[in-house]
C-alpha cells in the first residue's frame, strides 16, 4: 500500500509529536481536534517545537515552512475518511476511545487501518466497538516521537495478519522506525517497564533516600538515560503515569503496580509536570527546565 496522507486524531502532546514527525517524513497529515481552541493550541506547540529545532540549526526556516504546509488542521472527523491510515491519540479514557472508534468505523472505508497510540488500553476492547475489529491495531510511539526510534505494534485478539503486516511496513519502511510486535497485555512492554521504574523513583523520593535531582542524576549518569525517571514522568504527565499504573494495578492485581501516594498527591494538587509548569521539577512555557 502507498501511504500519502495520515489522519492524526487528537492534538495533545503525543498528537503534536506524531503529526510533526509524519510531516517531517514527507507525508501529508490531517490533524483533527474537536474544538478550534484546542487545534490552535496544538498548532502553536508544533510551531514552537520547530522553532526550537531551528535555534539548534537542526532544520532551516524553509524546512519548517514545508513541514507546516503538510499539516492540515480540521475539527471535522469526516476528513479521516480521505486518509490512508488513521492514528488516534486522544486521552487515555477507554469509553471515549471506544466511542471514537465506533464513529471512525462508520466513517472510514473498511480497508483503512485504525491505529491507536494508547499506552495501556486493550486493543481488543477498542476493536469491539467496531464492525471491523480486524483492522484495529495499536501503534504506540514514545515521547519525544521524532527522537525515539521505536514504535510498539500491538495486536488485539481479532487484529488480522494483513493489518499487522501493513502496519509494520508503514513503521519500518515509510517512517523508518524500529518496530516490536506486542501481544496484548496491560501496559504492553514500554509502559509496563517504565511506569514501574518511575513509581519506584517516586517511592525513593517519598522515603527521602535522595533528592529528586540526585535520583535523576544517578539514572542519567549511571545508566545513560536521556532523562531521569522523575523528569520523564513530568514530560509524560503525572496524571498519565498515574492512570497507567492504576489500570495495570487493576488488571494484574499485583501490589508492585500500586501508585505511590506521593504521585497521587501531586496529581490531586494539579502538579502534572511540563503541561502545568510544575511537577517534580519546574518548567518554563517552552517546556524547558528552570
Amino acid at each position: 500500500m502507498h501511504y500519502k496522507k495520515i489522519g492524526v486524531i487528537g492534538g495533545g502532546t503525543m498528537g503534536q509529536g506524531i503529526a510533526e514527525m509524519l510531516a517531517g517524513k514527507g507525508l501529508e497529515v490531517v490533524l483533527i481536534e474537536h474544538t478550534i481552541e484546542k487545534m490552535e493550541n496544538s498548532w502553536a506547540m508544533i510551531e514552537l517545537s520547530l522553532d526550537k529545532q531551528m535555534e539548534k540549526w537542526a532544520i532551516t526556516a524553509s524546512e519548517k515552512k514545508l513541514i507546516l504546509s503538510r499539516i492540515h488542521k480540521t475539527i471535522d472527523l469526516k476528513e479521516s475518511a480521505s486518509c490512508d491510515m488513521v492514528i488516534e491519540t486522544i486521552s487515555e479514557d477507554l469509553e471515549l476511545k471506544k466511542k471514537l472508534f465506533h464513529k471512525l468505523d462508520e466513517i472510514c472505508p473498511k480497508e483503512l487501518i485504525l491505529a491507536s497510540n494508547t499506552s495501556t488500553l486493550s486493543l481488543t476492547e477498542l476493536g469491539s466497538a467496531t464492525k471491523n475489529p480486524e483492522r484495529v491495531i495499536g501503534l504506540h510511539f514514545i515521547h519525544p516521537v521524532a527522537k525515539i526510534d521505536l514504535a510498539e505494534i500491538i495486536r488485539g485478539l481479532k487484529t488480522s495478519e494483513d493489518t499487522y503486516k501493513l502496519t509494520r511496513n508503514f513503521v519500518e519502511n515509510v517512517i523508518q522506525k524500529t518496530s516490536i510486535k506486542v501481544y496484548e497485555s496491560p501496559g504492553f512492554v514500554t509502559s509496563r517497564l517504565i511506569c514501574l521504574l518511575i513509581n519506584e523513583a517516586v517511592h525513593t523520593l517519598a522515603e527521602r533516600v535522595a533528592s529528586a535531582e540526585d535520583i535523576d542524576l544517578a539514572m542519567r549518569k549511571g545508566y545513560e538515560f536521556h532523562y531521569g525517571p522523575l523528569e520523564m514522568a513530568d514530560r509524560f504527565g503525572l496524571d498519565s503515569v498515574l492512570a497507567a499504573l492504576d489500570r495495570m494495578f487493576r488488571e494484574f492485581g499485583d501490589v508492585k503496580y500500586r501508585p505511590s501516594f506521593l504521585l497521587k498527591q501531586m496529581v490531586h494538587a494539579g502538579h502534572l509536570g511540563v503541561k502545568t509548569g510544575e511537577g517534580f521539577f519546574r518548567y518554563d512555557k517552552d517546556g524547558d527546565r528552570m
Side-chain angles (χ1 to χ4, degrees):
M1 181 174 179
H2 189 59
Y3 297 94
K4 292 183 178 179
K5 187 193 295 185
I6 308 298
V8 177
I9 303 176
T13 301
M14 290 305 296
Q16 295 159 22
I18 293 169
E20 181 188 323
M21 178 272 295
L22 294 172
K25 296 289 185 180
L27 295 163
E28 297 294 314
V29 179
V30 178
L31 181 59
I32 305 172
E33 257 292 3
H34 67 281
T35 69
I36 293 174
E37 288 178 341
K38 288 195 172 184
M39 176 57 70
E40 292 308 317
N41 179 66
S42 299
W43 186 259
M45 294 305 293
I46 292 171
E47 283 195 288
L48 178 61
S49 172
L50 295 172
D51 286 340
K52 285 185 176 182
Q53 293 174 58
M54 284 176 57
E55 289 173 6
K56 297 176 181 177
W57 300 94
I59 62 172
T60 65
S62 296
E63 286 172 321
K64 172 192 171 183
K65 186 176 181 180
L66 187 58
I67 290 169
L68 290 175
S69 73
R70 295 189 184 119
I71 302 175
H72 311 284
K73 303 178 290 181
T74 182
I75 58 171
D76 185 359
L77 189 62
K78 292 180 180 178
E79 291 288 332
S80 59
S82 67
C83 298
D84 301 313
M85 175 189 279
V86 171
I87 303 172
E88 167 275 314
T89 70
I90 67 172
S91 58
E92 287 287 275
D93 182 308
L94 180 61
E95 292 308 313
L96 281 179
K97 286 182 187 284
K98 286 175 71 173
K99 288 177 183 176
L100 174 60
F101 272 78
H102 178 72
K103 291 178 183 176
L104 289 172
D105 193 51
E106 294 180 331
I107 292 169
C108 299
K110 65 179 182 180
E111 67 276 4
L112 192 147
I113 292 173
L114 304 180
S116 174
N117 185 60
T118 180
S119 57
T120 59
L121 300 177
S122 166
L123 277 306
T124 299
E125 286 193 70
L126 294 181
S128 72
T130 73
K131 295 176 183 175
N132 303 281
E134 67 280 355
R135 58 146 163 195
V136 176
I137 196 164
L139 187 51
H140 179 226
F141 295 100
I142 299 170
H143 178 73
V145 180
K147 293 181 180 179
I148 304 297
D149 179 32
L150 180 74
E152 290 181 290
I153 303 176
I154 305 101
R155 298 185 65 153
L157 184 64
K158 294 189 176 180
T159 303
S160 70
E161 184 67 16
D162 281 348
T163 296
Y164 168 70
K165 287 180 177 178
L166 286 168
T167 305
R168 186 180 64 183
N169 175 63
F170 171 75
V171 171
E172 296 186 349
N173 298 320
V174 179
I175 61 174
Q176 299 177 321
K177 287 186 180 288
T178 302
S179 73
I180 62 169
K181 177 164 66 173
V182 180
Y183 292 98
E184 186 175 296
S185 177
F188 315 135
V189 174
T190 56
S191 296
R192 180 172 176 174
L193 297 181
I194 204 63
C195 284
L196 276 176
L197 174 63
I198 289 170
N199 202 38
E200 196 58 36
V202 181
H203 281 311
T204 304
L205 178 63
E207 293 164 13
R208 299 185 179 180
V209 174
S211 67
E213 291 79 3
D214 282 350
I215 291 169
D216 271 19
L217 182 62
M219 300 308 292
R220 286 192 294 106
K221 295 296 185 180
Y223 293 92
E224 298 186 353
F225 280 38
H226 183 67
Y227 295 120
L230 298 176
E231 183 170 352
M232 207 179 295
D234 281 349
R235 294 188 179 280
F236 291 157
L238 301 194
D239 52 339
S240 297
V241 175
L242 177 60
L245 284 165
D246 272 336
R247 183 165 186 84
M248 288 188 285
F249 183 40
R250 289 196 304 272
E251 294 286 344
F252 289 117
D254 192 322
V255 294
K256 70 183 179 183
Y257 298 104
R258 185 167 60 199
S260 163
F261 182 68
L262 176 57
L263 178 62
K264 290 182 178 180
Q265 278 187 315
M266 294 186 70
V267 171
H268 294 159
H271 301 323
L272 308 183
V274 173
K275 58 187 169 185
T276 59
E278 184 176 0
F280 293 106
F281 305 101
R282 296 179 65 84
Y283 303 87
D284 63 23
K285 62 181 179 63
D286 296 337
D288 295 322
R289 284 270 298 271
M290 293 173 65

